[in-house]
Amino acid sequence: MFALVDCNSFYASCEQIFRPDLRHRPVVVLSNNDGCIVARNAAAKALNIPDLQAYFMLKPLLEQHRVAVFSSNYALYADISQRVVDTLSRFSSELEVYSIDESFLSLKQIGIPLPDYGQQIKHTVWRDVRMPVCVGIGPSKTLAKLANHIAKKSQRLHGVCMLDQPAQWHAVFKKLPVSKVWGVGHRLAKRLAMFDIHTVYDLQAANAKHIRKHFSVNLARTIAELNGEACLSLENQPSPKQQIYSTRSFGQRVYTLEGLLQAVSLYATRAAGKLRQQHSLVKTITAFVQTSRFDTEPYRNSATVVLPYASNDTRHIIAASQQAVRSIFRPGHAYAKAGVGLIELIDEQPSQLNFFQQYQTERSRQLMQTLDQLNRQQAQVFFASSGIDPDWQMQRQFKSPAYTTKLDELPLIHTR
């Protein structure tokens, strides 16, 4: 059996952990540069505040209902996510971190009924982290995911749902649109509708051979999973990414080449760090710049640079990214966004070399290792090419403190 533990309104719930005065108030979290709403808690959803809408358009409505507004605080969210995972690891030795707010657990040889075990998980995560979660349990990962969705929608289930007998849930499956099935997006749901498959039940009862012929083997496996046959196993180690991108919109428009070079230097540094985390090297790098699409003469361009040898040295990646930006910079534009992409990755594992082939040196590897260790401990080492205090950085006027990762931002308690 599998369990999927999903945090409820994760970003908004993170903001409420150290602000208990907001526990019953509507809360929204904004995207980078405070652009649009990307997360809402249940109280905000009850006010019909839409998702993915521009903040400035909804500001009067948010003020009218005294909605608490926060900028994205990814350092806080990443740390809370790790605390949730640490708590869940007490309940199963086999755990897959599926996303920042979702984890699959393998449930084997549990000595108590699984719904009770799910309630234990739910209450422990709330007690130790103050994070509300729902738990879905099923004989396959797809059913566990579907059970979690049902647990979130039904107050009668108190946050835990088990679909161990799929045949007994036909009445519910007939009411759920097929787009609620894991891996079936709206575009695929439209195609399935052409085959008269509209609900979860329709897909569960579909002919797997017919689906495999007209769609894919993955969708055929989904049908087996909906019928209780586990086709997907836990992935204890996430697969390395095939590409790594680091892009951001600027807090203020950038008009100069120097400003763009600083930005891509910072983005290249972040991408290189992620590259080393997954023990990969990059051979080809791309960088792009763009103005707002609403400008009278919008401009967007990108360039690609091939490194002389595969590397994960930040210095080389910065140099290649800046080389690309220099080739596409055009004066006179108000740039709104830039980005760096590492698009041809290979494994860092030792490979057979020859006398004429260039390769990354051991000294370079050790330097980057030292850099990463310093930043993990103090987060104070950076490349000067990124600028000391650039004015193009993101706007985050509603950012909460980094309560769990910076000593000088710890919450204070005043006593008399």
Side-chain angles (χ1 to χ4, degrees):
M1 295 290 282
F2 298 91
L4 175 66
V5 182
D6 187 6
C7 301
N8 301 340
S9 307
F10 180 66
Y11 287 2
S13 297
C14 287
E15 300 292 352
Q16 290 175 294
I17 290 176
F18 293 94
R19 291 287 306 275
D21 58 307
L22 300 178
R23 196 150 290 165
H24 302 290
R25 277 183 55 188
V27 175
V28 299
V29 178
L30 306 179
S31 63
N32 293 330
N33 274 321
D34 298 339
C36 63
I37 294 173
V38 293
R40 305 158 295 162
N41 69 349
K45 293 175 184 175
L47 293 172
N48 293 322
I49 294 172
D51 198 15
L52 301 177
Q53 293 291 316
Y55 166 63
F56 76 91
M57 295 176 64
L58 296 175
K59 188 176 178 181
L61 178 65
L62 300 177
E63 291 176 345
Q64 176 188 348
H65 294 286
R66 297 183 61 247
V67 178
V69 179
F70 290 93
S71 304
S72 298
N73 186 344
Y74 296 112
L76 175 67
Y77 307 155
D79 187 71
I80 297 299
S81 174
Q82 186 58 51
R83 291 172 188 235
V84 172
V85 171
D86 291 343
T87 304
L88 295 179
S89 63
R90 299 182 216 158
F91 291 91
S92 176
S93 58
E94 296 181 64
L95 183 147
E96 174 189 341
V97 180
Y98 179 66
S99 66
I100 193 171
D101 59 347
E102 293 178 281
S103 292
F104 283 104
L105 281 67
S106 175
L107 303 182
K108 297 177 182 176
Q109 299 178 341
I110 306 298
I112 63 174
L114 291 181
D116 294 343
Y117 200 65
Q119 289 292 346
Q120 283 190 18
I121 294 173
K122 177 174 176 282
H123 291 303
T124 303
V125 175
W126 173 254
R127 182 194 67 196
D128 293 0
V129 191
R130 281 291 185 266
M131 175 57 64
V133 301
C134 284
V135 183
I137 301 172
S140 67
K141 291 171 73 175
T142 301
L143 280 175
K145 185 92 172 170
L146 192 60
N148 195 291
H149 172 76
I150 296 172
K152 284 184 184 298
K153 297 298 181 184
S154 172
Q155 293 186 353
R156 184 171 59 85
L157 295 171
H158 303 292
V160 177
C161 176
M162 185 166 77
L163 298 179
D164 57 333
Q165 301 292 333
Q168 297 178 2
W169 288 80
H170 284 172
V172 176
F173 289 175
K174 287 179 180 178
K175 296 178 182 177
L176 290 175
V178 70
S179 59
K180 298 301 179 185
V181 176
W182 188 28
V184 179
H186 291 288
R187 187 174 300 177
L188 181 55
K190 285 183 179 179
R191 286 187 60 203
L192 287 168
M194 299 170 65
F195 288 78
D196 205 24
I197 296 174
H198 305 279
T199 67
V200 174
Y201 174 79
D202 293 338
L203 184 60
Q204 184 189 31
N207 186 306
K209 292 183 179 178
H210 182 73
I211 290 295
R212 181 173 180 170
K213 177 181 178 182
H214 291 279
F215 291 89
S216 68
V217 65
N218 290 333
L219 192 57
R221 287 187 185 135
T222 298
I223 294 175
E225 288 240 322
L226 284 174
N227 285 284
E229 180 184 347
C231 301
L232 304 173
S233 58
L234 288 186
E235 297 179 6
N236 298 327
Q237 295 294 331
S239 302
K241 294 180 179 178
Q242 301 300 310
Q243 296 182 341
I244 297 175
Y245 274 82
S246 179
T247 68
R248 291 286 188 279
S249 298
F250 302 136
Q252 298 181 26
R253 298 295 185 91
V254 173
Y255 296 87
T256 64
L257 175 61
E258 181 184 8
L260 287 178
L261 294 179
Q262 287 182 357
V264 296
S265 174
L266 178 62
Y267 303 157
T269 301
R270 291 172 176 167
K274 295 177 182 177
L275 184 69
R276 292 192 292 274
Q277 279 184 354
Q278 67 171 33
H279 305 290
S280 298
L281 305 172
V282 62
K283 296 172 69 175
T284 306
I285 296 169
T286 185
F288 76 87
V289 297
Q290 69 179 59
T291 62
S292 169
R293 58 192 173 95
F294 300 108
D295 286 359
T296 53
E297 294 183 7
Y299 173 72
R300 188 186 196 285
N301 206 347
S302 64
T304 300
V305 176
V306 179
L307 297 177
Y309 52 86
S311 172
N312 58 15
D313 189 319
T314 301
R315 298 170 299 174
H316 301 159
I317 296 173
I318 287 176
S321 303
Q322 292 189 335
Q323 177 187 340
V325 168
R326 283 192 178 93
S327 70
I328 55 178
F329 173 75
R330 300 291 181 271
H333 290 292
Y335 293 93
K337 188 175 183 179
V340 173
L342 313 183
I343 56 175
E344 187 181 4
L345 310 185
I346 62 172
D347 203 334
E348 193 182 19
Q349 292 296 324
S351 58
Q352 184 64 44
L353 304 174
N354 61 56
F355 181 77
F356 301 100
Q357 184 176 350
Q358 289 183 293
Y359 57 89
Q360 181 165 277
T361 64
E362 177 62 17
R363 187 177 182 182
S364 173
R365 190 193 68 79
Q366 291 181 355
L367 176 62
M368 291 300 108
Q369 188 178 39
T370 303
L371 179 71
D372 292 338
Q373 287 177 345
L374 287 171
N375 281 330
R376 276 195 295 271
Q377 295 167 358
Q378 302 176 6
Q380 292 181 346
V381 181
F382 61 94
F383 286 82
S385 59
S386 302
I388 304 300
D389 186 20
D391 55 8
W392 46 264
Q393 290 274 36
M394 287 189 301
Q395 292 181 10
R396 303 168 79 182
Q397 57 179 321
F398 308 112
K399 180 180 166 298
S400 56
Y403 295 110
T404 59
T405 53
K406 288 189 176 180
L407 284 175
D408 57 349
E409 296 186 18
L410 281 173
L412 300 176
I413 299 175
H414 297 280
T415 58
R416 295 180 179 176

